[in-house]
């Protein structure tokens, strides 16, 4: 049998490796990476100042204090800072800061100043760093996003990067309660931009959010007739019993295959144990992937609720739409792929996720602007006393955000 010998030369080896392993990641921008690492300290210092100030969604004084700190930082960068007073609970101001450039792209950054925490929580749990993690009320949701956004603007200012038409940072004061005082402002501002980058927390798996469900609430109210529960219960019309019936039958309005959830979360009925309740109410949390599912849920809600168990009771329903869906599409995919490539320069893998939670990026997307979020500091356990951020993610995430702004601006 004839033996055969193959000689594989070095260029062929390189070609085979490239074919098997895929293209190698580009080298990082060393000068920019150095800037990001040098900016870590000032970023954490600013983050401490923000975290140690209470700023719940209805805490006007606390939100004003945060806004004052942020406005001073932005004005030092030469940004035009405008305050827009909200009509929402607390009536705290929203901030819109704009830096003008010499290019064509109009880039919007978004973050929010409010937290879910109560007045006094910052004093009880001030900012601290422990075992490589950052702690404190709102440390990543979304004080970390604010600090990261301002630091990215500082780096761009230091290197003299102006290849954008405008770079805007919008800071919302009511995101945690559904953005009632800023929705119109976000829509109007988003429509004036080409892309929206939301600085919500990076996911625990070091991820971005590329699509979100829309959110809403369904309200079911029942009117019955009160009566003595022991003497003449049959003369009443039990609103609680009818509500229980409605909760059971309407709880099936979700559709798992379409990603629609319909979950009753609040129920109220009765005033005393010996009185047949005359009034009852339930509230359901509704999440949808597509806007047409809101229409379907609303239609089915009205039709199904007419099937009653308690005669002569009255049932009224309504669907309140809050955040629209942020759908996955070609434009958001392109943004995400660009972000993945940039993160790959650092030898890091950026995961891409969807979320059942809503955020202001959904409002921007609903206005027709491509949006991604989760560009803030990586962290987890948000909305809890154990909310944390990964200290080691600060410089890489700052590099990612700054490079993504630069690449988005150059692509216009």
């Amino acid at each position: 049998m004839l033996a055969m010998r193959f000689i594989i030369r070095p260029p062929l080896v390189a070609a085979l490796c490239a074919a098997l392993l895929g293209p190698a990641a580009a080298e990082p921008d060393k000068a920019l990476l150095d800037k990001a690492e040098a900016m870590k300290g000032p970023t954490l210092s600013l983050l401490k100042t923000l975290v140690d100030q209470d700023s719940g969604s209805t805490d006007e004084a606390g939100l004003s204090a945060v806004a004052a700190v942020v406005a001073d930082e932005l004005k030092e960068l030469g940004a035009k800072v405008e305050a827009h007073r909200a009509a929402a609970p607390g009536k705290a101001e929203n901030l819109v800061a704009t830096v003008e450039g010499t290019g064509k792209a109009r880039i919007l950054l978004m973050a929010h100043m409010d937290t879910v925490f109560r007045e006094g929580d910052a004093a009880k749990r001030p900012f601290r760093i422990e075992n490589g993690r950052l702690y404190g009320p709102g440390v990543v949701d979304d004080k970390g996003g604010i600090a990261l956004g301002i630091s990215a603007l500082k780096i761009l200012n230091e290197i003299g990067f102006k290849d954008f038409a405008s770079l805007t940072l919008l800071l919302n004061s009511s995101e945690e309660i559904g953005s009632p005082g800023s929705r119109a402002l976000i829509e109007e501002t988003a429509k004036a931009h080409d892309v929206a980058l939301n600085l919500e927390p990076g996911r625990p798996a070091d991820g971005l959010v590329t699509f979100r469900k829309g959110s809403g609430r369904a309200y079911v109210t029942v009117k019955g007739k009160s009566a003595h529960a022991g003497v003449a219960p049959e003369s009443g019309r039990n609103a609680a019993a009818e509500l229980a019936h409605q909760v059971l039958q309407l709880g099936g309005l979700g559709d798992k295959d379409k990603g629609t959830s319909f979950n009753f979360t609040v129920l109220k009925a009765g005033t005393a144990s010996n009185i047949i309740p005359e009034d009852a109410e339930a509230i359901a949390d509704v999440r949808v992937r597509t806007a047409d599912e809101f229409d379907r849920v609303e239609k089915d809600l009205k039709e199904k609720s007419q099937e009653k168990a308690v005669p002569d009771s009255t049932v009224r329903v309504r669907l309140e739409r809050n955040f629209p869906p942020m759908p996955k599409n070609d434009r958001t995919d392109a943004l995400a792929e660009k972000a993945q490539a940039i993160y790959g320069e650092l030898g890091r893998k950026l995961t891409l996720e969807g979320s059942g939670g809503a955020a202001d990026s959904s409002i921007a997307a609903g206005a027709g602007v491509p949006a991604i979020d989760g560009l803030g500091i990586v962290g987890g356990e948000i909305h809890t006393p154990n909310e944390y951020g990964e200290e080691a993610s600060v410089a890489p995430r700052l590099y990612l955000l700054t490079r993504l702004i630069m690449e988005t601006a150059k692509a216009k």
Side-chain angles (χ1 to χ4, degrees):
M1 184 176 181
L2 181 64
M4 301 183 68
R5 296 174 61 202
F6 293 91
I7 299 176
I8 302 179
R9 302 187 184 282
L12 183 56
V13 172
L16 286 170
C17 288
L20 291 172
L21 302 176
E27 291 295 315
D29 182 326
K30 183 63 167 58
L32 188 65
L33 181 56
D34 288 344
K35 288 283 187 184
E37 290 174 342
M39 190 63 72
K40 177 183 173 181
T43 302
L44 292 177
S45 178
L46 174 58
L47 181 56
K48 172 179 168 52
T49 300
L50 298 175
V51 169
D52 287 348
Q53 172 61 61
D54 289 315
S55 58
S57 301
T58 58
D59 182 356
E60 184 175 357
L63 286 163
S64 295
V66 168
V69 170
V70 171
D72 287 345
E73 293 277 347
L74 293 165
K75 287 175 182 176
E76 285 186 13
L77 294 172
K80 176 185 177 183
V81 181
E82 298 176 319
H84 298 261
R85 183 163 291 278
K91 299 183 179 179
E93 292 179 337
N94 303 300
L95 294 184
V96 179
T98 305
V99 178
E100 301 292 341
T102 58
K104 296 180 179 180
R106 300 165 301 169
I107 301 170
L108 174 63
L109 307 180
M110 296 191 296
H112 61 90
M113 299 179 287
D114 64 322
T115 74
V116 300
F117 299 100
R118 295 173 295 183
E119 186 175 354
D121 280 356
K124 294 175 185 176
R125 296 184 290 105
F127 178 82
R128 75 182 196 278
I129 302 175
E130 186 177 298
N131 297 324
R133 285 187 167 179
L134 318 171
Y135 292 96
V139 67
V140 288
D141 189 21
D142 193 27
K143 302 289 179 72
I146 297 173
L148 214 64
I150 291 174
S151 291
L153 295 180
K154 287 180 178 179
I155 291 176
L156 293 173
N157 185 60
E158 286 181 7
I159 65 177
F161 183 85
K162 292 281 188 179
D163 196 14
F164 48 79
S166 61
L167 182 55
T168 302
L169 175 59
L170 187 155
L171 298 178
N172 179 8
S173 63
S174 61
E175 193 269 354
E176 294 291 7
I177 54 174
S179 301
S182 55
R183 186 175 299 262
L185 176 64
I186 294 170
E187 290 177 347
E188 179 185 351
T189 306
K191 288 177 181 177
H193 290 78
D194 301 307
V195 64
L197 307 176
N198 200 8
L199 307 180
E200 287 284 330
R203 295 301 181 173
D206 211 351
L208 292 185
V209 176
T210 58
F211 67 91
R212 287 184 178 273
K213 290 184 179 181
S215 68
R217 292 188 183 94
Y219 294 86
V220 180
T221 58
V222 179
K223 188 71 173 180
K225 181 183 177 183
S226 64
H228 194 293
V231 176
E234 68 282 351
S235 69
R237 297 293 180 264
N238 196 319
E242 179 58 38
L243 184 68
H245 167 70
Q246 294 293 337
V247 166
L248 290 174
Q249 69 171 1
L250 297 178
L253 292 183
D255 189 324
K256 186 175 181 180
D257 292 339
K258 293 182 179 179
T260 301
S261 62
F262 189 102
N263 295 300
F264 281 103
T265 52
V266 178
L267 290 89
K268 301 175 183 177
T271 56
S273 63
N274 60 352
I275 301 175
I276 297 296
E278 182 177 11
D279 298 290
E281 179 186 38
I283 304 173
D285 178 271
V286 182
R287 306 281 167 152
V288 300
R289 283 183 186 164
T290 59
D292 60 353
E293 268 296 274
F294 270 140
D295 297 334
R296 195 273 302 170
V297 168
E298 186 169 39
K299 176 177 177 293
D300 291 352
L301 179 66
K302 291 177 179 178
E303 292 180 354
K304 193 71 175 173
S305 63
Q306 298 310 304
E307 301 174 14
K308 296 184 293 183
V310 177
D312 301 323
S313 62
T314 302
V315 179
R316 291 187 174 87
V317 297
R318 67 183 174 91
L319 178 67
E320 178 185 273
R321 308 181 192 209
N322 294 328
F323 287 97
M326 186 181 90
K328 181 176 170 62
N329 55 50
D330 291 344
R331 294 190 297 174
T332 59
D333 286 347
L335 276 172
E337 288 172 8
K338 187 179 296 183
Q340 282 185 311
I342 291 169
Y343 221 41
E345 296 170 1
L346 303 178
R348 290 173 170 261
K349 179 177 175 57
L350 190 65
T351 62
L352 304 180
E353 305 178 23
S355 175
D360 287 337
S361 49
S362 299
I363 300 175
V369 180
I372 57 173
D373 73 24
L375 283 162
I377 295 171
V378 176
E381 297 194 47
I382 61 173
H383 292 194
T384 78
N386 298 317
E387 181 173 321
Y388 70 88
E390 299 288 0
E391 183 185 5
S393 75
V394 175
R397 281 297 180 122
L398 185 51
Y399 176 87
L400 168 63
L401 177 60
T402 309
R403 281 270 287 119
L404 185 58
I405 293 170
M406 295 171 71
E407 291 302 308
T408 301
K410 293 174 182 176
K412 179 68 174 179

